[in-house]
Amino acid sequence: MTVHDMAHIELYTGHAPPTIDYFVSGMGFTRVADRVEADRSSILLRQGETRLIVTSGRGIWKFLDRHGDGIADIALTCDDVTETRDAALAAGAESFAPAYGNPVVSGFGSVTHTLVPHPRDPDAWPAGRAWESAPTARNVDTGRVRLLDHVAVCVEGSALKDYAGYYGAAFGMSPYSSEYVAVGDQAMDSIVVRTASGRVTFTLVAPDPTKSPGQLDAFLDRNGGPGVQHLAFLVDEIIPAVREFRDRGVEFLSTPDTYYEMLADRFTGMRERIAELRATQILADRDEWGYLLQLFSRSPYERNTLFFELIQRQGSRGFGSANIRALYEAVERDRLAAG
């Protein structure tokens, strides 16, 4: 296989303290290391197998000016870094200056992919940077988040299939599923691509250009083009995780009571469980392998772009057709309420 895993995600921000506080105080990440350079500073956060790098400073002002706070790089582990870079370039990728000794190629919009060797030590810090251990570092295996389940990427409607083809040719990712959701006079299309390892999953979503503009068009406008719409964090038990994160100040999207009335018809024999889901506003869906539970945060960023998801899988391998519609409707309600 060409690509194995996501080594780390790098988020650029204009205001590091509130961003760090959101992840550490709100979501239970640990600040494990710091790195200061001439034009930027980075902080490494970790929870379970998920590693986030939060970077700020004058060296990233062009990205921030165009996109606001958001994901700038998704680092991928590869069997052969050079071979993967060459495959990406042959598929139409743009090559950038190496990052700390590692090749960097274009992904979507201004988001890049740093290519790093596999295997890697899951406890090692991202290579190439002179990290210093943070004074607050502690055991990072006590949080709710296990790993990064998938990354949702918003692209232009006319380019959806092109991006799916690019990730296949460049990184060996195969189409896993597709979904078309129409809500009123708006609609979205999606293609999920996944590596053979199952460790890298991108959900590519796009507005239907033949329909009226909606929330995905608004995202593309606010974000200055394609970008990461949300990061989905896998948890073992979502109900206590949601309650804990809410108590810590994380805000989630709301779900109408009518959703749970319909859910009781679809999940017969789970009325007690559904009452808990209603109380915590969690979504549920199932496929042929099992069921999944999900909930989505409000965006904590000024441009209302990037947000986050908690997901619990009980055998389910997909994303839930009904939940895709429920997410679209929830984001739309939130967008309209915000004016």
Side-chain angles (χ1 to χ4, degrees):
M1 65 189 82
T2 305
V3 169
H4 286 268
D5 207 346
M6 287 180 276
H8 62 261
I9 305 288
E10 185 159 14
L11 186 154
Y12 283 179
T13 180
H15 307 284
T19 301
I20 297 299
D21 185 65
Y22 183 88
F23 286 115
V24 174
S25 299
M27 303 188 81
F29 278 80
T30 295
R31 180 174 179 168
V32 295
D34 300 342
R35 161 69 171 159
V36 177
E37 302 176 56
D39 65 347
R40 70 193 65 192
S41 60
S42 298
I43 295 165
L44 175 62
L45 307 177
R46 184 173 170 198
Q47 188 172 176
E49 297 181 34
T50 303
R51 297 194 296 184
L52 299 177
I53 297 175
V54 178
T55 296
S56 60
R58 59 182 174 82
I60 63 170
W61 72 266
K62 288 184 179 179
F63 181 98
L64 294 176
D65 185 59
R66 180 173 181 182
H67 307 290
D69 289 13
I71 305 302
D73 185 81
I74 302 172
L76 304 172
T77 68
C78 315
D79 282 330
D80 188 314
V81 167
T82 301
E83 184 179 284
T84 302
R85 180 203 62 196
D86 291 346
L89 295 180
E94 182 180 353
S95 180
F96 296 94
Y100 312 101
N102 298 304
V104 179
V105 297
S106 57
F108 44 87
S110 297
V111 179
T112 58
H113 296 300
T114 299
L115 307 178
V116 300
H118 180 87
R120 65 175 176 87
D121 179 355
D123 293 321
W125 296 340
R129 309 189 198 197
W131 295 102
E132 293 187 5
S133 181
T136 56
R138 56 174 173 77
N139 187 338
V140 296
D141 296 321
T142 58
R144 297 286 184 182
V145 173
R146 281 180 49 204
L147 51 82
L148 188 58
D149 185 86
H150 63 273
V151 177
V153 178
C154 184
V155 301
E156 304 95 334
S158 59
L160 179 63
K161 291 183 179 178
D162 291 339
Y163 277 110
Y166 169 71
Y167 276 97
F171 306 110
M173 301 176 75
S174 301
Y176 177 78
S177 64
S178 61
E179 192 79 26
Y180 183 86
V181 175
V183 178
D185 59 354
Q186 303 174 21
M188 63 163 279
D189 208 353
S190 67
I191 300 175
V192 177
V193 293
R194 180 175 284 173
T195 57
S197 68
R199 300 277 296 182
V200 182
T201 301
F202 292 161
T203 301
L204 307 174
V205 300
D208 183 339
T210 68
K211 301 291 186 178
S212 297
Q215 63 184 258
L216 297 185
D217 301 275
F219 175 94
L220 292 168
D221 182 59
R222 293 192 306 268
N223 193 65
V228 173
Q229 184 207 44
H230 71 264
L231 301 178
F233 298 121
L234 183 70
V235 297
D236 289 323
E237 295 289 342
I238 192 171
I239 291 175
V242 166
R243 287 172 172 158
E244 180 180 313
F245 285 17
R246 269 205 184 103
D247 288 343
R248 291 176 165 206
V250 176
E251 295 185 359
F252 293 96
L253 298 179
S254 61
T255 308
D257 283 343
T258 51
Y259 173 86
Y260 298 98
E261 293 166 7
M262 292 185 292
L263 195 64
D265 295 331
R266 291 167 42 224
F267 283 74
T268 57
M270 290 183 60
R271 294 194 178 277
E272 184 175 330
R273 182 71 161 171
I274 290 171
E276 288 186 296
L277 299 180
R278 184 196 294 262
T280 47
Q281 300 283 284
I282 292 169
L283 307 175
D285 214 333
R286 58 172 27 135
D287 56 25
E288 57 265 45
W289 299 284
Y291 70 90
L292 59 85
L293 305 174
Q294 298 167 285
L295 189 58
F296 303 87
S297 80
R298 285 192 170 90
S299 175
Y301 304 106
E302 183 178 356
R303 294 200 189 185
N304 193 28
T305 48
L306 176 67
F307 60 93
F308 306 99
E309 172 187 352
L310 298 183
I311 180 169
Q312 176 185 336
R313 294 187 180 275
Q314 295 299 125
S316 172
R317 302 177 191 175
F319 301 90
S321 297
N323 281 3
I324 293 173
R325 174 180 290 276
L327 169 61
Y328 191 95
E329 292 173 341
V331 173
E332 188 64 14
R333 285 193 304 272
D334 202 57
R335 183 175 76 95
L336 294 175

